[in-house]
Amino acid sequence: MYKHELLILEQSTCDDNIIYWILKGKGYEYQLFNLKLFSPHFIHSSLKDLNGISRPFENNEILSVIFNTNIEKIMTNKIKDINSYIKDNIKYFPVCFWIDAYYCDWTPFYNSVHFSHYMQIVELDDVNMMYNCLDIYYPSKGIIKLKYEFISNKASWVECIHLGKKLDDACTKAIHYLQKSIENINLKKYDEEKIELMSKIISFSSSKYLNHAELESSILILTLKWISEDKLNFIKGLKYLDSKLSYPLFNDLNLHLMIASEETMKLKNIIIKYLMTNFINLEKTSKIIDKIYKENYIANQLLNSKLRIATMERLI
């Protein structure tokens, strides 16, 4: 069994937190997991759906490249006997699952909002036919006990985390991973993203349908929170890389990411205030969005140049 305790939340989402602490507990260079997302390219396309952030890479990629680890993800309706599958795999791997929080009576989403949630199975209780599960967002509840039948009927995906041998050159792999990630960032999309984001805010703030406006603004608040936190986590990852280089390389880049994170939180607070007052200062909002993208653009350019320097140092 892969048991661990989450004393504090160090990542922005439920799945990231659990995977982060599994890596930490098994002695990997877990700090590098903070580099899973390059902050400047978050907003594009995520505004078109209800799933939050559009992430350029799944966890699978960074786990494979930097941690020699892979996630085997299977839809529950493709598994003949879910409980047997879990029992067979949990002897060797951490086993997690995705479930709709709408069915989870210990959460505020119960019978209210459909929201994908990630949990880890840490123990089997065959006597009572229950799983002891870790839910990182509700530590006050302790271990959540769920019936075998509940998981079989309500879980949408099951994941086995195949932990591989630790890599001696994880930091070099991380640098190459970042280089690949920024190659997929299209800076020409920035203006489109700014227009899309501003248009979305104007749309829900002028909507005659209050329920729709509340839903759209609430989703945007959560998305902006994640974006801001992911930028801060990315800074942590860069600081860890700095500790492995001969001199601090990313300090000025981190400054721009910090400003972008702060401005993103300001935007989030403006949307929260709108929910409370039904008023939004669109001119002020537009200036904040412009500043976010300005800092993102500078950070992208700096990261590109810094990675070339870091690559040369690792080759010497």
Side-chain angles (χ1 to χ4, degrees):
M1 304 294 179
Y2 286 83
K3 293 186 66 175
H4 52 87
E5 293 186 13
L6 294 172
L7 302 180
I8 55 174
L9 300 180
E10 296 195 42
Q11 301 293 300
S12 56
T13 61
C14 49
D15 54 323
D16 286 349
N17 269 292
I18 288 177
I19 292 172
Y20 183 84
W21 277 82
I22 289 173
L23 293 172
K24 187 173 185 176
K26 298 304 291 183
Y28 290 83
E29 290 187 78
Y30 63 94
Q31 299 92 333
L32 296 173
F33 188 65
N34 287 302
L35 300 172
K36 61 190 172 299
L37 299 169
F38 179 49
S39 309
H41 201 55
F42 281 177
I43 295 175
H44 183 69
S45 82
S46 66
L47 302 174
K48 296 185 176 70
D49 54 53
L50 304 182
N51 296 322
I53 300 172
S54 174
R55 296 171 182 255
F57 294 97
E58 295 286 342
N59 284 334
N60 255 351
E61 180 153 358
I62 191 170
L63 288 174
S64 175
V65 173
I66 300 177
F67 300 102
N68 194 29
T69 290
N70 292 286
I71 294 179
E72 178 185 325
K73 184 174 180 179
I74 302 178
M75 291 182 68
T76 52
N77 61 10
K78 302 292 184 183
I79 304 173
K80 186 175 181 180
D81 186 337
I82 295 174
N83 293 320
S84 294
Y85 178 84
I86 292 172
K87 287 181 181 180
D88 290 342
N89 283 279
I90 203 169
K91 302 171 188 175
Y92 311 104
F93 315 110
V95 175
C96 304
F97 63 92
W98 288 96
I99 194 166
D100 190 341
Y102 182 90
Y103 304 111
C104 301
D105 61 7
W106 64 94
T107 77
F109 302 104
Y110 181 59
N111 282 344
S112 175
V113 178
H114 292 283
F115 194 85
S116 292
H117 191 38
Y118 193 78
M119 299 174 66
Q120 182 186 359
I121 299 171
V122 293
E123 282 184 323
L124 305 180
D125 181 357
D126 283 328
V127 175
N128 297 303
M129 298 188 67
M130 301 187 82
Y131 296 114
N132 292 333
C133 304
L134 182 67
D135 187 334
I136 54 96
Y137 284 141
Y138 306 99
S140 61
K141 302 287 186 182
I143 294 294
I144 307 295
K145 295 182 178 293
L146 299 176
K147 293 180 179 179
Y148 286 178
E149 183 180 1
F150 181 80
I151 298 295
S152 297
N153 294 333
K154 300 301 183 184
S156 54
W157 294 84
V158 176
E159 292 187 354
C160 296
I161 302 175
H162 297 254
L163 297 165
K165 182 180 178 181
K166 300 179 186 70
L167 299 174
D168 294 330
D169 59 346
C171 286
T172 300
K173 296 285 187 183
I175 291 169
H176 292 158
Y177 167 83
L178 288 175
Q179 286 178 318
K180 180 180 178 182
S181 72
I182 63 173
E183 288 174 1
N184 292 330
I185 294 176
N186 184 354
L187 294 179
K188 293 179 181 178
K189 291 284 188 182
Y190 270 35
D191 287 337
E192 294 178 21
E193 292 181 28
K194 287 198 296 184
I195 294 170
E196 183 183 356
L197 177 56
M198 193 63 204
S199 296
K200 186 176 184 67
I201 293 173
I202 292 172
S203 176
F204 68 64
S205 64
S206 60
S207 176
K208 297 178 181 179
Y209 305 100
L210 293 180
N211 288 341
H212 173 75
E214 288 180 2
L215 176 62
E216 289 293 307
S217 54
S218 296
I219 292 169
L220 184 56
I221 287 168
L222 181 58
T223 302
L224 291 171
K225 175 181 179 293
W226 285 345
I227 291 171
S228 178
E229 290 175 354
D230 282 331
K231 289 181 191 298
L232 298 179
N233 287 332
F234 195 82
I235 291 172
K236 291 179 184 177
L238 290 179
K239 286 183 175 180
Y240 182 75
L241 275 183
D242 263 343
S243 71
K244 299 297 181 179
L245 298 171
S246 59
Y247 60 94
L249 183 62
F250 298 106
N251 283 347
D252 50 348
L253 166 59
N254 289 339
L255 176 61
H256 290 284
L257 287 173
M258 180 66 74
I259 294 172
S261 175
E262 292 171 352
E263 293 300 312
T264 303
M265 288 300 288
K266 287 181 184 179
L267 182 58
K268 179 192 75 112
N269 291 335
I270 283 177
I271 308 302
I272 292 175
K273 187 176 180 180
Y274 159 76
L275 280 176
M276 299 171 62
T277 64
N278 202 32
F279 171 79
I280 189 165
N281 186 326
L282 293 177
E283 182 179 357
K284 181 180 180 180
T285 301
S286 179
K287 288 180 179 179
I288 289 175
I289 291 173
D290 284 342
K291 190 168 184 179
I292 290 171
Y293 278 93
K294 177 184 176 181
E295 297 299 328
N296 284 342
Y297 184 87
I298 295 172
N300 183 88
Q301 299 296 88
L302 283 172
L303 181 61
N304 201 355
S305 61
K306 302 288 186 180
L307 287 175
R308 288 197 292 269
I309 298 172
T311 300
M312 293 304 299
E313 178 166 325
R314 301 299 286 187
L315 292 175
I316 294 174

